[in-house]
Amino acid sequence: MASRHSIGADQETFLAELIDAGLLIETGAPGLYGRGPVFEQVRLGLDAYLARTTSSERAESLRFPPVLPRRQIEMSGYLKSFPHLAGTVFAFAGGNREARKQGEAIGRGEDWSVHQRMTEVALAPAACYPVYPAIAARGRLPEDGVTVDTGGACVFRHEPSRDPSRLLAFHMRELVRIGGAEAVNRWRDEWQERAPDLLRELGLDARLAVANDPFFGRAGQILARRQRTQEMKLEILVRIAGREPTAIASLNRHGDHFAATFGIEMPDGTVAHSACVGFGEERIALALLRAHGLDPGRWPSQVRKEIGLN
Ligand code: AMP
Ligand code: ZN
């Protein structure tokens, strides 16, 4: 099947440059790259910059593995909305005979999936997904709700591409706000100013735009339209490579979707609301490399200082 994401010469050239410079390391699979020391220094510096500049949130730091209990992704609705992006984990299930047959099939380059069974885990599609069930398990929220900082979590989306900005596995750093509808909506509104400013401080020409998630199929088009009319999703866009700008961060209002699904309640028993702000770390690092050049040693000193490269 042709990729949904057509890519142009600019993306191909940028990818080749990143690989030549040792910033990214080819693995053989489109969308999956190793990260060289300079790229990683930039990404980790950026992660620390985001942690520092969002510390006034006094968010609770929670960290989760890159895989989720499968039940959680089933409950979340992700498999209905984004069946094309989800990654599930299968593992060998069989005895000696099946192990031998599997090995032989692999040796012959044949399909060996018949020997695999779906496991109890799936790949995390966003950093905030494991947060909702964890908060629900605590019982009712305090009056002013909670704010969680997920750190730079490794997430997966099955959208293979040769565009270096469209990865299969990448780090997403999120702040998640869960509480009363009014407080949550106010919080997301505040972030409309703050998030683009944080990125402009790094010399990026960032602008905010109303957006929609890539919902699957015809029914998905209706969901996408509704998401736009209600301004549920905003994205921070920057030109990286190609004609279209790329989203480097998003600000999402979920209404009571996650709270109702996982049972997160306010002190009076009403269903909470939630919102999240997600920063794509690799994409921001790529935007910086595009804006300031492939050698961070030559970046403007203000940018170097902010992300701790001095
Ligand atoms: P989303 O939940 O789709 O709004 O994603 C949050 C952020 O993650 C986006 O704004 C991007 O910065 C980043 N992101 C999403 N998909 C990808 C991808 N395939 N490769 C790299 N970064 C991504
Ligand atoms: Zn989120």
Side-chain angles (χ1 to χ4, degrees), residues 128-165:
C128 65
Y129 273 63
V131 170
Y132 311 106
I135 297 298
R138 291 179 179 174
R140 289 184 176 173
L141 290 176
E143 191 56 50
D144 62 348
V146 290
T147 308
V148 172
D149 168 346
T150 68
C154 193
V155 303
F156 176 89
R157 302 218 179 145
H158 192 238
E159 42 183 356
S161 163
R162 297 278 304 164
D163 174 356
S165 297

PDB file of all heavy atoms in Angstrom, residues 128-165:
ATOM      1  N   CYS A 128       0.395  10.200  27.644  1.00  0.00           N
ATOM      2  CA  CYS A 128      -0.639  10.394  28.670  1.00  0.00           C
ATOM      3  C   CYS A 128      -1.518   9.170  28.894  1.00  0.00           C
ATOM      4  O   CYS A 128      -2.226   9.104  29.900  1.00  0.00           O
ATOM      5  CB  CYS A 128      -1.493  11.615  28.341  1.00  0.00           C
ATOM      6  SG  CYS A 128      -2.480  11.458  26.829  1.00  0.00           S
ATOM      7  N   TYR A 129      -1.495   8.183  27.987  1.00  0.00           N
ATOM      8  CA  TYR A 129      -2.445   7.068  28.111  1.00  0.00           C
ATOM      9  C   TYR A 129      -2.383   6.315  29.448  1.00  0.00           C
ATOM     10  O   TYR A 129      -3.419   6.024  30.026  1.00  0.00           O
ATOM     11  CB  TYR A 129      -2.329   6.103  26.918  1.00  0.00           C
ATOM     12  CG  TYR A 129      -3.201   6.567  25.773  1.00  0.00           C
ATOM     13  CD1 TYR A 129      -2.950   7.778  25.147  1.00  0.00           C
ATOM     14  CD2 TYR A 129      -4.297   5.831  25.351  1.00  0.00           C
ATOM     15  CE1 TYR A 129      -3.764   8.243  24.126  1.00  0.00           C
ATOM     16  CE2 TYR A 129      -5.120   6.285  24.328  1.00  0.00           C
ATOM     17  CZ  TYR A 129      -4.852   7.486  23.728  1.00  0.00           C
ATOM     18  OH  TYR A 129      -5.669   7.948  22.733  1.00  0.00           O
ATOM     19  N   PRO A 130      -1.181   5.993  29.951  1.00  0.00           N
ATOM     20  CA  PRO A 130      -1.178   5.254  31.221  1.00  0.00           C
ATOM     21  C   PRO A 130      -1.537   6.108  32.442  1.00  0.00           C
ATOM     22  O   PRO A 130      -1.796   5.565  33.519  1.00  0.00           O
ATOM     23  CB  PRO A 130       0.277   4.755  31.344  1.00  0.00           C
ATOM     24  CG  PRO A 130       1.051   5.412  30.276  1.00  0.00           C
ATOM     25  CD  PRO A 130       0.155   6.167  29.376  1.00  0.00           C
ATOM     26  N   VAL A 131      -1.589   7.429  32.243  1.00  0.00           N
ATOM     27  CA  VAL A 131      -1.832   8.318  33.389  1.00  0.00           C
ATOM     28  C   VAL A 131      -3.274   8.177  33.910  1.00  0.00           C
ATOM     29  O   VAL A 131      -3.499   8.093  35.123  1.00  0.00           O
ATOM     30  CB  VAL A 131      -1.534   9.796  33.011  1.00  0.00           C
ATOM     31  CG1 VAL A 131      -2.002  10.759  34.092  1.00  0.00           C
ATOM     32  CG2 VAL A 131      -0.048   9.971  32.713  1.00  0.00           C
ATOM     33  N   TYR A 132      -4.246   8.113  32.985  1.00  0.00           N
ATOM     34  CA  TYR A 132      -5.652   8.133  33.415  1.00  0.00           C
ATOM     35  C   TYR A 132      -6.022   6.951  34.308  1.00  0.00           C
ATOM     36  O   TYR A 132      -6.574   7.162  35.388  1.00  0.00           O
ATOM     37  CB  TYR A 132      -6.587   8.250  32.195  1.00  0.00           C
ATOM     38  CG  TYR A 132      -6.157   9.367  31.280  1.00  0.00           C
ATOM     39  CD1 TYR A 132      -5.544   9.108  30.054  1.00  0.00           C
ATOM     40  CD2 TYR A 132      -6.309  10.685  31.669  1.00  0.00           C
ATOM     41  CE1 TYR A 132      -5.113  10.130  29.236  1.00  0.00           C
ATOM     42  CE2 TYR A 132      -5.866  11.726  30.854  1.00  0.00           C
ATOM     43  CZ  TYR A 132      -5.268  11.434  29.646  1.00  0.00           C
ATOM     44  OH  TYR A 132      -4.820  12.453  28.845  1.00  0.00           O
ATOM     45  N   PRO A 133      -5.703   5.701  33.908  1.00  0.00           N
ATOM     46  CA  PRO A 133      -6.046   4.602  34.820  1.00  0.00           C
ATOM     47  C   PRO A 133      -5.300   4.682  36.151  1.00  0.00           C
ATOM     48  O   PRO A 133      -5.857   4.312  37.190  1.00  0.00           O
ATOM     49  CB  PRO A 133      -5.654   3.334  34.041  1.00  0.00           C
ATOM     50  CG  PRO A 133      -5.026   3.769  32.784  1.00  0.00           C
ATOM     51  CD  PRO A 133      -5.237   5.222  32.604  1.00  0.00           C
ATOM     52  N   ALA A 134      -4.070   5.209  36.117  1.00  0.00           N
ATOM     53  CA  ALA A 134      -3.309   5.310  37.379  1.00  0.00           C
ATOM     54  C   ALA A 134      -3.956   6.316  38.319  1.00  0.00           C
ATOM     55  O   ALA A 134      -4.046   6.081  39.533  1.00  0.00           O
ATOM     56  CB  ALA A 134      -1.859   5.720  37.082  1.00  0.00           C
ATOM     57  N   ILE A 135      -4.444   7.419  37.773  1.00  0.00           N
ATOM     58  CA  ILE A 135      -5.093   8.436  38.622  1.00  0.00           C
ATOM     59  C   ILE A 135      -6.455   7.921  39.090  1.00  0.00           C
ATOM     60  O   ILE A 135      -6.846   8.112  40.241  1.00  0.00           O
ATOM     61  CB  ILE A 135      -5.231   9.782  37.850  1.00  0.00           C
ATOM     62  CG1 ILE A 135      -3.835  10.339  37.503  1.00  0.00           C
ATOM     63  CG2 ILE A 135      -6.037  10.804  38.652  1.00  0.00           C
ATOM     64  CD1 ILE A 135      -2.941  10.674  38.677  1.00  0.00           C
ATOM     65  N   ALA A 136      -7.161   7.212  38.205  1.00  0.00           N
ATOM     66  CA  ALA A 136      -8.471   6.666  38.579  1.00  0.00           C
ATOM     67  C   ALA A 136      -8.340   5.708  39.758  1.00  0.00           C
ATOM     68  O   ALA A 136      -9.181   5.691  40.659  1.00  0.00           O
ATOM     69  CB  ALA A 136      -9.101   5.951  37.386  1.00  0.00           C
ATOM     70  N   ALA A 137      -7.239   4.938  39.772  1.00  0.00           N
ATOM     71  CA  ALA A 137      -7.063   3.907  40.802  1.00  0.00           C
ATOM     72  C   ALA A 137      -6.876   4.512  42.198  1.00  0.00           C
ATOM     73  O   ALA A 137      -7.013   3.819  43.205  1.00  0.00           O
ATOM     74  CB  ALA A 137      -5.868   3.022  40.447  1.00  0.00           C
ATOM     75  N   ARG A 138      -6.575   5.807  42.279  1.00  0.00           N
ATOM     76  CA  ARG A 138      -6.367   6.442  43.586  1.00  0.00           C
ATOM     77  C   ARG A 138      -7.669   6.777  44.296  1.00  0.00           C
ATOM     78  O   ARG A 138      -7.653   7.165  45.450  1.00  0.00           O
ATOM     79  CB  ARG A 138      -5.632   7.773  43.396  1.00  0.00           C
ATOM     80  CG  ARG A 138      -4.224   7.627  42.957  1.00  0.00           C
ATOM     81  CD  ARG A 138      -3.679   9.025  42.807  1.00  0.00           C
ATOM     82  NE  ARG A 138      -2.299   8.958  42.407  1.00  0.00           N
ATOM     83  CZ  ARG A 138      -1.571  10.016  42.083  1.00  0.00           C
ATOM     84  NH1 ARG A 138      -2.115  11.225  42.138  1.00  0.00           N
ATOM     85  NH2 ARG A 138      -0.322   9.881  41.742  1.00  0.00           N
ATOM     86  N   GLY A 139      -8.766   6.742  43.564  1.00  0.00           N
ATOM     87  CA  GLY A 139     -10.026   7.199  44.154  1.00  0.00           C
ATOM     88  C   GLY A 139     -10.298   8.618  43.698  1.00  0.00           C
ATOM     89  O   GLY A 139      -9.639   9.119  42.791  1.00  0.00           O
ATOM     90  N   ARG A 140     -11.260   9.282  44.351  1.00  0.00           N
ATOM     91  CA  ARG A 140     -11.684  10.601  43.866  1.00  0.00           C
ATOM     92  C   ARG A 140     -10.544  11.624  43.912  1.00  0.00           C
ATOM     93  O   ARG A 140      -9.661  11.535  44.777  1.00  0.00           O
ATOM     94  CB  ARG A 140     -12.874  11.090  44.695  1.00  0.00           C
ATOM     95  CG  ARG A 140     -14.108  10.284  44.352  1.00  0.00           C
ATOM     96  CD  ARG A 140     -15.351  10.779  45.060  1.00  0.00           C
ATOM     97  NE  ARG A 140     -16.480   9.986  44.563  1.00  0.00           N
ATOM     98  CZ  ARG A 140     -17.700  10.042  45.040  1.00  0.00           C
ATOM     99  NH1 ARG A 140     -17.990  10.866  46.043  1.00  0.00           N
ATOM    100  NH2 ARG A 140     -18.647   9.290  44.527  1.00  0.00           N
ATOM    101  N   LEU A 141     -10.627  12.569  43.003  1.00  0.00           N
ATOM    102  CA  LEU A 141      -9.586  13.602  42.904  1.00  0.00           C
ATOM    103  C   LEU A 141      -9.690  14.586  44.063  1.00  0.00           C
ATOM    104  O   LEU A 141     -10.776  14.773  44.610  1.00  0.00           O
ATOM    105  CB  LEU A 141      -9.796  14.417  41.612  1.00  0.00           C
ATOM    106  CG  LEU A 141      -9.536  13.750  40.273  1.00  0.00           C
ATOM    107  CD1 LEU A 141      -9.909  14.726  39.151  1.00  0.00           C
ATOM    108  CD2 LEU A 141      -8.067  13.350  40.146  1.00  0.00           C
ATOM    109  N   PRO A 142      -8.591  15.257  44.393  1.00  0.00           N
ATOM    110  CA  PRO A 142      -8.728  16.414  45.285  1.00  0.00           C
ATOM    111  C   PRO A 142      -9.487  17.532  44.553  1.00  0.00           C
ATOM    112  O   PRO A 142      -9.593  17.494  43.323  1.00  0.00           O
ATOM    113  CB  PRO A 142      -7.279  16.825  45.572  1.00  0.00           C
ATOM    114  CG  PRO A 142      -6.458  16.199  44.504  1.00  0.00           C
ATOM    115  CD  PRO A 142      -7.205  15.007  43.992  1.00  0.00           C
ATOM    116  N   GLU A 143      -9.969  18.517  45.306  1.00  0.00           N
ATOM    117  CA  GLU A 143     -10.819  19.571  44.734  1.00  0.00           C
ATOM    118  C   GLU A 143     -10.204  20.232  43.494  1.00  0.00           C
ATOM    119  O   GLU A 143     -10.876  20.465  42.494  1.00  0.00           O
ATOM    120  CB  GLU A 143     -11.088  20.632  45.825  1.00  0.00           C
ATOM    121  CG  GLU A 143     -12.162  21.633  45.472  1.00  0.00           C
ATOM    122  CD  GLU A 143     -13.508  20.992  45.106  1.00  0.00           C
ATOM    123  OE1 GLU A 143     -13.993  20.133  45.869  1.00  0.00           O
ATOM    124  OE2 GLU A 143     -14.051  21.360  44.031  1.00  0.00           O
ATOM    125  N   ASP A 144      -8.893  20.551  43.561  1.00  0.00           N
ATOM    126  CA  ASP A 144      -8.296  21.244  42.406  1.00  0.00           C
ATOM    127  C   ASP A 144      -7.671  20.282  41.388  1.00  0.00           C
ATOM    128  O   ASP A 144      -6.902  20.705  40.534  1.00  0.00           O
ATOM    129  CB  ASP A 144      -7.294  22.309  42.872  1.00  0.00           C
ATOM    130  CG  ASP A 144      -6.148  21.679  43.641  1.00  0.00           C
ATOM    131  OD1 ASP A 144      -6.267  20.479  43.988  1.00  0.00           O
ATOM    132  OD2 ASP A 144      -5.132  22.358  43.883  1.00  0.00           O
ATOM    133  N   GLY A 145      -7.989  19.012  41.483  1.00  0.00           N
ATOM    134  CA  GLY A 145      -7.538  18.048  40.480  1.00  0.00           C
ATOM    135  C   GLY A 145      -6.051  17.734  40.590  1.00  0.00           C
ATOM    136  O   GLY A 145      -5.438  17.953  41.637  1.00  0.00           O
ATOM    137  N   VAL A 146      -5.470  17.222  39.508  1.00  0.00           N
ATOM    138  CA  VAL A 146      -4.034  16.905  39.498  1.00  0.00           C
ATOM    139  C   VAL A 146      -3.424  17.351  38.163  1.00  0.00           C
ATOM    140  O   VAL A 146      -4.109  17.474  37.154  1.00  0.00           O
ATOM    141  CB  VAL A 146      -3.732  15.389  39.634  1.00  0.00           C
ATOM    142  CG1 VAL A 146      -4.054  14.856  40.998  1.00  0.00           C
ATOM    143  CG2 VAL A 146      -4.425  14.578  38.554  1.00  0.00           C
ATOM    144  N   THR A 147      -2.112  17.578  38.219  1.00  0.00           N
ATOM    145  CA  THR A 147      -1.340  17.806  36.997  1.00  0.00           C
ATOM    146  C   THR A 147      -0.187  16.813  37.019  1.00  0.00           C
ATOM    147  O   THR A 147       0.496  16.685  38.035  1.00  0.00           O
ATOM    148  CB  THR A 147      -0.797  19.249  36.947  1.00  0.00           C
ATOM    149  OG1 THR A 147      -1.876  20.147  37.159  1.00  0.00           O
ATOM    150  CG2 THR A 147      -0.161  19.545  35.596  1.00  0.00           C
ATOM    151  N   VAL A 148      -0.011  16.092  35.936  1.00  0.00           N
ATOM    152  CA  VAL A 148       1.031  15.055  35.871  1.00  0.00           C
ATOM    153  C   VAL A 148       2.026  15.407  34.774  1.00  0.00           C
ATOM    154  O   VAL A 148       1.650  15.883  33.697  1.00  0.00           O
ATOM    155  CB  VAL A 148       0.392  13.664  35.602  1.00  0.00           C
ATOM    156  CG1 VAL A 148       1.460  12.610  35.334  1.00  0.00           C
ATOM    157  CG2 VAL A 148      -0.490  13.250  36.776  1.00  0.00           C
ATOM    158  N   ASP A 149       3.299  15.175  35.077  1.00  0.00           N
ATOM    159  CA  ASP A 149       4.380  15.362  34.111  1.00  0.00           C
ATOM    160  C   ASP A 149       4.894  13.962  33.762  1.00  0.00           C
ATOM    161  O   ASP A 149       5.355  13.228  34.630  1.00  0.00           O
ATOM    162  CB  ASP A 149       5.463  16.210  34.804  1.00  0.00           C
ATOM    163  CG  ASP A 149       6.775  16.245  34.050  1.00  0.00           C
ATOM    164  OD1 ASP A 149       6.979  15.426  33.131  1.00  0.00           O
ATOM    165  OD2 ASP A 149       7.613  17.087  34.401  1.00  0.00           O
ATOM    166  N   THR A 150       4.789  13.597  32.492  1.00  0.00           N
ATOM    167  CA  THR A 150       5.148  12.220  32.099  1.00  0.00           C
ATOM    168  C   THR A 150       6.633  12.048  31.780  1.00  0.00           C
ATOM    169  O   THR A 150       7.084  10.931  31.535  1.00  0.00           O
ATOM    170  CB  THR A 150       4.384  11.789  30.829  1.00  0.00           C
ATOM    171  OG1 THR A 150       4.869  12.583  29.728  1.00  0.00           O
ATOM    172  CG2 THR A 150       2.888  11.964  30.974  1.00  0.00           C
ATOM    173  N   GLY A 151       7.381  13.165  31.710  1.00  0.00           N
ATOM    174  CA  GLY A 151       8.759  13.066  31.225  1.00  0.00           C
ATOM    175  C   GLY A 151       8.754  12.717  29.746  1.00  0.00           C
ATOM    176  O   GLY A 151       7.683  12.643  29.114  1.00  0.00           O
ATOM    177  N   GLY A 152       9.903  12.494  29.182  1.00  0.00           N
ATOM    178  CA  GLY A 152       9.993  12.139  27.764  1.00  0.00           C
ATOM    179  C   GLY A 152       9.764  10.653  27.606  1.00  0.00           C
ATOM    180  O   GLY A 152      10.692   9.856  27.704  1.00  0.00           O
ATOM    181  N   ALA A 153       8.519  10.269  27.335  1.00  0.00           N
ATOM    182  CA  ALA A 153       8.171   8.847  27.265  1.00  0.00           C
ATOM    183  C   ALA A 153       8.295   8.348  25.833  1.00  0.00           C
ATOM    184  O   ALA A 153       7.956   9.055  24.891  1.00  0.00           O
ATOM    185  CB  ALA A 153       6.743   8.648  27.751  1.00  0.00           C
ATOM    186  N   CYS A 154       8.756   7.124  25.675  1.00  0.00           N
ATOM    187  CA  CYS A 154       8.891   6.542  24.341  1.00  0.00           C
ATOM    188  C   CYS A 154       7.532   6.013  23.890  1.00  0.00           C
ATOM    189  O   CYS A 154       6.903   5.230  24.605  1.00  0.00           O
ATOM    190  CB  CYS A 154       9.927   5.421  24.372  1.00  0.00           C
ATOM    191  SG  CYS A 154      10.400   4.941  22.711  1.00  0.00           S
ATOM    192  N   VAL A 155       7.057   6.490  22.749  1.00  0.00           N
ATOM    193  CA  VAL A 155       5.755   6.066  22.243  1.00  0.00           C
ATOM    194  C   VAL A 155       5.889   5.549  20.813  1.00  0.00           C
ATOM    195  O   VAL A 155       6.908   5.778  20.156  1.00  0.00           O
ATOM    196  CB  VAL A 155       4.715   7.209  22.302  1.00  0.00           C
ATOM    197  CG1 VAL A 155       4.561   7.736  23.717  1.00  0.00           C
ATOM    198  CG2 VAL A 155       5.072   8.337  21.338  1.00  0.00           C
ATOM    199  N   PHE A 156       4.856   4.870  20.346  1.00  0.00           N
ATOM    200  CA  PHE A 156       4.894   4.213  19.038  1.00  0.00           C
ATOM    201  C   PHE A 156       3.686   4.606  18.195  1.00  0.00           C
ATOM    202  O   PHE A 156       2.564   4.647  18.703  1.00  0.00           O
ATOM    203  CB  PHE A 156       4.888   2.695  19.229  1.00  0.00           C
ATOM    204  CG  PHE A 156       4.830   1.917  17.943  1.00  0.00           C
ATOM    205  CD1 PHE A 156       5.988   1.556  17.287  1.00  0.00           C
ATOM    206  CD2 PHE A 156       3.603   1.553  17.387  1.00  0.00           C
ATOM    207  CE1 PHE A 156       5.942   0.845  16.086  1.00  0.00           C
ATOM    208  CE2 PHE A 156       3.549   0.839  16.192  1.00  0.00           C
ATOM    209  CZ  PHE A 156       4.726   0.488  15.543  1.00  0.00           C
ATOM    210  N   ARG A 157       3.911   4.888  16.931  1.00  0.00           N
ATOM    211  CA  ARG A 157       2.806   5.048  15.976  1.00  0.00           C
ATOM    212  C   ARG A 157       3.211   4.400  14.660  1.00  0.00           C
ATOM    213  O   ARG A 157       4.282   4.709  14.133  1.00  0.00           O
ATOM    214  CB  ARG A 157       2.495   6.523  15.742  1.00  0.00           C
ATOM    215  CG  ARG A 157       2.138   7.208  17.045  1.00  0.00           C
ATOM    216  CD  ARG A 157       1.065   8.200  16.898  1.00  0.00           C
ATOM    217  NE  ARG A 157       0.781   8.768  18.201  1.00  0.00           N
ATOM    218  CZ  ARG A 157       0.439  10.020  18.401  1.00  0.00           C
ATOM    219  NH1 ARG A 157       0.330  10.838  17.361  1.00  0.00           N
ATOM    220  NH2 ARG A 157       0.171  10.453  19.606  1.00  0.00           N
ATOM    221  N   HIS A 158       2.358   3.533  14.156  1.00  0.00           N
ATOM    222  CA  HIS A 158       2.712   2.820  12.935  1.00  0.00           C
ATOM    223  C   HIS A 158       2.404   3.679  11.714  1.00  0.00           C
ATOM    224  O   HIS A 158       1.348   3.556  11.080  1.00  0.00           O
ATOM    225  CB  HIS A 158       1.972   1.475  12.866  1.00  0.00           C
ATOM    226  CG  HIS A 158       2.534   0.618  11.784  1.00  0.00           C
ATOM    227  ND1 HIS A 158       1.778   0.139  10.750  1.00  0.00           N
ATOM    228  CD2 HIS A 158       3.790   0.192  11.562  1.00  0.00           C
ATOM    229  CE1 HIS A 158       2.558  -0.556   9.938  1.00  0.00           C
ATOM    230  NE2 HIS A 158       3.781  -0.530  10.419  1.00  0.00           N
ATOM    231  N   GLU A 159       3.326   4.587  11.415  1.00  0.00           N
ATOM    232  CA  GLU A 159       3.183   5.408  10.210  1.00  0.00           C
ATOM    233  C   GLU A 159       4.539   5.504   9.518  1.00  0.00           C
ATOM    234  O   GLU A 159       5.143   6.566   9.469  1.00  0.00           O
ATOM    235  CB  GLU A 159       2.582   6.781  10.513  1.00  0.00           C
ATOM    236  CG  GLU A 159       3.087   7.492  11.743  1.00  0.00           C
ATOM    237  CD  GLU A 159       2.359   8.814  11.994  1.00  0.00           C
ATOM    238  OE1 GLU A 159       1.514   9.198  11.173  1.00  0.00           O
ATOM    239  OE2 GLU A 159       2.654   9.453  13.007  1.00  0.00           O
ATOM    240  N   PRO A 160       5.018   4.339   8.991  1.00  0.00           N
ATOM    241  CA  PRO A 160       6.349   4.314   8.383  1.00  0.00           C
ATOM    242  C   PRO A 160       6.472   5.317   7.241  1.00  0.00           C
ATOM    243  O   PRO A 160       5.570   5.442   6.430  1.00  0.00           O
ATOM    244  CB  PRO A 160       6.487   2.881   7.860  1.00  0.00           C
ATOM    245  CG  PRO A 160       5.124   2.297   7.877  1.00  0.00           C
ATOM    246  CD  PRO A 160       4.329   3.053   8.892  1.00  0.00           C
ATOM    247  N   SER A 161       7.591   6.028   7.220  1.00  0.00           N
ATOM    248  CA  SER A 161       7.801   7.072   6.215  1.00  0.00           C
ATOM    249  C   SER A 161       9.280   7.378   6.128  1.00  0.00           C
ATOM    250  O   SER A 161      10.035   7.114   7.055  1.00  0.00           O
ATOM    251  CB  SER A 161       7.024   8.317   6.669  1.00  0.00           C
ATOM    252  OG  SER A 161       7.483   9.463   5.982  1.00  0.00           O
ATOM    253  N   ARG A 162       9.688   7.962   4.988  1.00  0.00           N
ATOM    254  CA  ARG A 162      11.086   8.413   4.848  1.00  0.00           C
ATOM    255  C   ARG A 162      11.234   9.873   5.275  1.00  0.00           C
ATOM    256  O   ARG A 162      12.300  10.452   5.127  1.00  0.00           O
ATOM    257  CB  ARG A 162      11.570   8.261   3.402  1.00  0.00           C
ATOM    258  CG  ARG A 162      11.598   6.850   2.880  1.00  0.00           C
ATOM    259  CD  ARG A 162      12.811   6.064   3.281  1.00  0.00           C
ATOM    260  NE  ARG A 162      14.065   6.689   2.893  1.00  0.00           N
ATOM    261  CZ  ARG A 162      15.254   6.346   3.396  1.00  0.00           C
ATOM    262  NH1 ARG A 162      15.328   5.392   4.308  1.00  0.00           N
ATOM    263  NH2 ARG A 162      16.345   6.943   2.995  1.00  0.00           N
ATOM    264  N   ASP A 163      10.143  10.457   5.754  1.00  0.00           N
ATOM    265  CA  ASP A 163      10.238  11.815   6.284  1.00  0.00           C
ATOM    266  C   ASP A 163      10.873  11.705   7.678  1.00  0.00           C
ATOM    267  O   ASP A 163      10.322  11.048   8.558  1.00  0.00           O
ATOM    268  CB  ASP A 163       8.818  12.402   6.382  1.00  0.00           C
ATOM    269  CG  ASP A 163       8.798  13.767   7.054  1.00  0.00           C
ATOM    270  OD1 ASP A 163       9.850  14.234   7.519  1.00  0.00           O
ATOM    271  OD2 ASP A 163       7.697  14.359   7.109  1.00  0.00           O
ATOM    272  N   PRO A 164      12.042  12.328   7.902  1.00  0.00           N
ATOM    273  CA  PRO A 164      12.705  12.158   9.203  1.00  0.00           C
ATOM    274  C   PRO A 164      11.876  12.683  10.377  1.00  0.00           C
ATOM    275  O   PRO A 164      12.153  12.349  11.536  1.00  0.00           O
ATOM    276  CB  PRO A 164      14.008  12.951   9.058  1.00  0.00           C
ATOM    277  CG  PRO A 164      13.811  13.859   7.890  1.00  0.00           C
ATOM    278  CD  PRO A 164      12.804  13.200   6.999  1.00  0.00           C
ATOM    279  N   SER A 165      10.845  13.492  10.095  1.00  0.00           N
ATOM    280  CA  SER A 165       9.990  13.999  11.172  1.00  0.00           C
ATOM    281  C   SER A 165       8.869  13.025  11.527  1.00  0.00           C
ATOM    282  O   SER A 165       8.134  13.250  12.480  1.00  0.00           O
ATOM    283  CB  SER A 165       9.331  15.320  10.765  1.00  0.00           C
ATOM    284  OG  SER A 165      10.308  16.287  10.552  1.00  0.00           O
TER     285      SER A 165
END
